[in-house]
Amino acid sequence: MIRVLFLLLATCVYVAPAMAAERVISIGGSVTEIVYMLEQEERLVGRDTTSSFPPEAESLPDVGYKRALSPEGVLSLDPDLVLAEEGSGPHETIAVLENARVRFVTVPTGYGAEAIRAKIEVVSDALGVPDRGRQLADRIESELEAAVAAASTDRPARVLFILSMQGGRIMAGGRDTSADGIIRLAGAENAMTGFTGYKPLTDEAVIATAPDVILMMERAMAGDDAGGNHGIDNDALFNHPGLAATPAAERQAVVRIDGLLLLGFGPRTPEAVRALTSALADFDEAG
């Protein structure tokens, strides 16, 4: 009798383990990179427009830009888990997905080592591979510490990040942006700290920043809000009435780096820091 009661009690308290998500949609370039770095890409059934690295990710079905997701496009892939960078949406789409009992996990964003670790751990926990996540986070953190230490300098360059030049107006990166974060990690100084976010500048404001170097994306992140004209050549760039009088124009100092690498703040951020540091050092040596 006692044995029967024990079995009944054991049956009552047993909780079946959660089924691992096997049909995953990744929203956000850095999130997709993390899924691949965790070697869980075989579970991906879709991605968003900004997920362009590694190149094989682009062969996955595209559900659209991360901030303009349609519930029909996402649900058509029958996912059981959506991993999405913070800011993905709109809210109406997320509500529809949750009502359809699709697990939706928001991955926090940020512009430093702690933020990258948090991204990796949230993704790896959601995928049920926390140990792999901790190992990856430890490695990226170590690589980033080394890259930042190597970037340290007594003469930080003043860097102006230009997101776009639509209609001749310069859209620049201020505080609390991914551009500000990567500039500081590379041992440089953001020339535009008078505001937060990305804002258009007057020509007078551009002149006042007196940047040593212009930083731009080699190509825009797919679907980025600014659109932009990142194919602008140096002559057109430095003939701009605001930039023509700056030290950067005098030295023809412009650095162009792939947008997702530069601003993604994912596993490749140590590579981005090294690339920017190296480019700034070249201009510094050239005087």
Side-chain angles (χ1 to χ4, degrees):
M1 184 62 179
I2 293 176
R3 183 170 181 271
V4 172
L5 290 174
F6 176 80
L7 289 173
L8 287 172
L9 180 61
T11 301
C12 290
V13 300
Y14 174 75
V15 177
M19 295 291 291
E22 296 300 336
R23 295 186 62 80
V24 180
I25 294 179
S26 178
I27 306 297
S30 64
V31 174
T32 302
E33 288 183 20
I34 291 169
V35 174
Y36 274 85
M37 294 287 279
L38 293 170
E39 299 181 337
Q40 300 299 304
E41 64 271 20
E42 75 280 0
R43 295 157 71 175
L44 289 174
V45 297
R47 51 94 191 186
D48 77 314
T49 305
T50 68
S51 298
S52 58
F53 187 90
E56 50 265 38
E58 295 188 281
S59 65
L60 292 165
D62 185 352
V63 297
Y65 181 51
K66 61 184 180 181
R67 294 178 184 164
L69 301 171
S70 74
E72 295 82 4
V74 175
L75 290 173
S76 69
L77 298 177
D78 191 26
D80 49 19
L81 172 63
V82 176
L83 294 169
E85 276 184 355
E86 185 178 0
S88 299
H91 295 303
E92 293 79 6
T93 294
I94 297 174
V96 171
L97 297 177
E98 290 176 340
N99 286 335
R101 298 186 181 281
V102 175
R103 187 179 171 208
F104 191 96
V105 173
T106 298
V107 182
T109 60
Y111 314 123
E114 291 183 359
I116 296 171
R117 170 174 283 277
K119 278 186 180 181
I120 294 172
E121 291 183 345
V122 168
V123 172
S124 60
D125 287 352
L127 292 172
V129 289
D131 290 343
R132 288 193 184 195
R134 280 190 289 273
Q135 292 171 8
L136 176 60
D138 288 345
R139 179 168 68 81
I140 300 302
E141 191 172 72
S142 176
E143 291 179 2
L144 185 56
E145 286 179 359
V148 171
S152 179
T153 176
D154 294 332
R155 295 187 304 170
R158 286 177 58 80
V159 177
L160 176 64
F161 176 77
I162 296 179
L163 181 64
S164 70
M165 293 181 65
Q166 294 280 23
R169 294 291 300 274
I170 289 177
M171 179 77 77
R175 301 189 311 274
D176 299 330
T177 61
S178 51
D180 181 68
I182 199 68
I183 288 170
R184 288 187 288 107
L185 287 176
E189 175 185 339
N190 187 358
M192 185 51 64
T193 58
F195 57 83
T196 59
Y198 296 93
K199 290 187 177 179
L201 304 180
T202 64
D203 292 347
E204 292 75 16
V206 174
I207 294 171
T209 63
D212 301 309
V213 178
I214 303 301
L215 177 62
M216 300 182 74
M217 291 186 285
E218 188 172 55
R219 61 170 184 162
M221 290 187 288
D224 77 67
D225 293 334
N229 46 0
H230 301 273
I232 187 170
D233 61 29
N234 285 10
D235 288 342
L237 179 69
F238 291 121
N239 282 330
H240 182 278
L243 291 173
T246 65
E250 183 178 348
R251 306 162 68 202
Q252 295 286 288
V254 56
V255 176
R256 293 181 171 89
I257 297 176
D258 177 81
L260 182 56
L261 170 64
L262 182 69
L263 306 179
F265 276 86
R268 293 191 297 154
T269 292
E271 178 185 343
V273 172
R274 291 192 293 270
L276 181 52
T277 301
S278 175
L280 295 176
D282 288 344
F283 284 117
D284 188 44
E285 291 174 2

